[in-house]
């Protein structure tokens, strides 16, 4: 639902919703009805909004609530999603639809990720101007991508012109499914609830350390590690199912 649902946008005294195009993650999983979900949720919620000519999944963006948006090039630009748009055109649509002021573009995502690099498996705001990402475990097959993300974030600034503060969590390393295939397992796909943060775990040696690191980022909430591997087999984790 993170990817097929609408994105709600709030400002003082007003709640609206933005509806984007959905093409089954670049045509990989096209199912009847998926393109109608966002409009129906808006109708059920009684929230008005607009549709925008940009193919965009909710998991592809991360915002700080103060004008800064994180995303990745592979899941927005090029490919089959938005083949005619460049970064400037995509940014213009994101500004108009979501009210953001500054877009930070990151590069490649995790291997075998059908989303082509959704930001919610790579980097998350844990406070305005503070972004969490993963430090690769020993032998992590995604080492180069994770190191590039941390490096690019550290060189980026927020909409307010302040340098982004980067905090890290150990990655789960190589996590395989029952057939021995590498999974795009990530601790970054946590879900922030009112009193709790639900963090996916994978039976990795770093599960506990990751939970402790995330707990330090959310002192006012209880961090819970919950088995996420079975969810990840179908694609994504806790954040992906929530909108």
């Amino acid at each position: 639902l993170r990817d097929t649902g609408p994105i709600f946008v709030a400002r003082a005294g007003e709640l609206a919703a933005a509806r984007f195009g959905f093409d089954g993650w670049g045509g990989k999983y096209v199912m009847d009805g998926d393109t109608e979900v966002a409009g129906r949720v808006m109708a059920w919620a009684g929230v008005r909004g607009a549709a925008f000519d940009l193919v965009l999944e909710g998991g592809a963006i991360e915002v700080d609530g103060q004008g800064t948006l994180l995303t990745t090039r592979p899941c927005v630009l090029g490919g089959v999603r938005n083949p005619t748009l460049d970064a400037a055109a995509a940014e213009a649509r994101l500004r108009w639809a979501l009210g953001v002021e500054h877009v930070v573009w990151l590069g490649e995502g995790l291997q075998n990720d059908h989303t082509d690099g959704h930001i919610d498996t790579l980097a998350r705001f844990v406070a305005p101007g503070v972004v969490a990402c993963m430090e690769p475990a020993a032998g992590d097959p995604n080492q180069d991508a994770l190191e590039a993300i941390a490096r690019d974030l550290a060189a980026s600034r927020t909409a307010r012109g302040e340098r982004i503060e980067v905090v890290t969590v150990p990655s789960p390393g190589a996590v395989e499914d029952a057939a021995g295939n590498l999974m795009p397992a990530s601790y970054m796909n946590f879900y922030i609830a009112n009193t709790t943060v639900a963090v996916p775990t994978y039976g990795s040696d770093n599960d506990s350390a990751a939970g402790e690191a995330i707990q330090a980022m959310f002192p006012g909430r209880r961090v819970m590690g919950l088995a996420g591997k079975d969810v990840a087999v179908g694609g994504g984790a806790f954040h992906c199912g929530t909108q």
Side-chain angles (χ1 to χ4, degrees), residues 1 4 18 51 57 75 85 97 117 207 214 224 226 228-229 237 241 243:
L1 194 61
T4 56
E57 301 98 31
C75 66
L85 298 185
D207 284 353
I214 294 173
M224 296 178 61
L226 300 171
K229 188 172 181 179
Q243 180 63 288

Side-chain angles (χ1 to χ4, degrees), residues 35-58:
T35 58
E36 303 170 19
V37 171
R40 292 195 178 195
V41 170
M42 291 167 64
W44 289 333
V47 176
R48 300 178 65 182
F52 296 89
D53 64 339
L54 177 71
V55 175
L56 183 79
E57 301 98 31

Side-chain angles (χ1 to χ4, degrees), residues 25-225:
W25 302 280
K28 299 181 187 70
Y29 301 98
V30 178
M31 296 187 176
D32 291 341
D34 275 354
T35 58
E36 303 170 19
V37 171
R40 292 195 178 195
V41 170
M42 291 167 64
W44 289 333
V47 176
R48 300 178 65 182
F52 296 89
D53 64 339
L54 177 71
V55 175
L56 183 79
E57 301 98 31
I61 60 169
E62 174 80 0
V63 296
D64 68 350
Q66 297 185 354
T68 308
L69 180 146
L70 307 178
T71 190
T72 68
R73 296 180 190 88
C75 66
V76 177
L77 303 177
V80 299
R81 284 178 174 88
N82 301 292
T84 64
L85 298 185
D86 59 12
E91 287 182 19
R93 286 162 171 77
L94 290 168
R95 290 191 181 96
W96 179 253
L98 303 176
V100 298
E101 302 167 15
H102 178 61
V103 178
V104 176
W105 293 94
L106 299 177
E108 297 297 322
L110 304 178
Q111 295 181 38
N112 294 343
D113 178 7
H114 74 270
T115 70
D116 301 308
H118 270 190
I119 195 69
D120 64 1
T121 64
L122 303 172
R124 302 285 306 280
F125 278 109
V126 295
V130 184
V131 178
C133 61
M134 293 188 294
E135 181 177 353
D140 193 317
N142 293 295
Q143 178 175 345
D144 291 346
L146 295 180
E147 290 178 346
I149 288 164
R151 185 170 58 249
D152 290 346
L153 284 170
S156 300
R157 295 184 179 273
T158 68
R160 299 186 175 188
E162 301 167 343
R163 190 174 293 278
I164 288 177
E165 178 185 348
V166 179
V167 292
T168 60
V169 171
S171 78
V175 177
E176 298 179 346
D177 63 18
N181 300 309
L182 181 68
M183 301 173 63
S186 172
Y187 296 126
M188 290 297 97
N189 209 265
F190 51 76
Y191 173 67
I192 307 169
N194 291 339
T195 61
T196 308
V197 180
V199 180
T201 60
Y202 304 97
S204 164
D205 291 341
N206 284 336
D207 284 353
S208 295
E212 292 171 1
I214 294 173
Q215 180 66 78
M217 300 172 194
F218 295 97
R221 289 178 170 85
R222 179 172 61 121
V223 169
M224 296 178 61

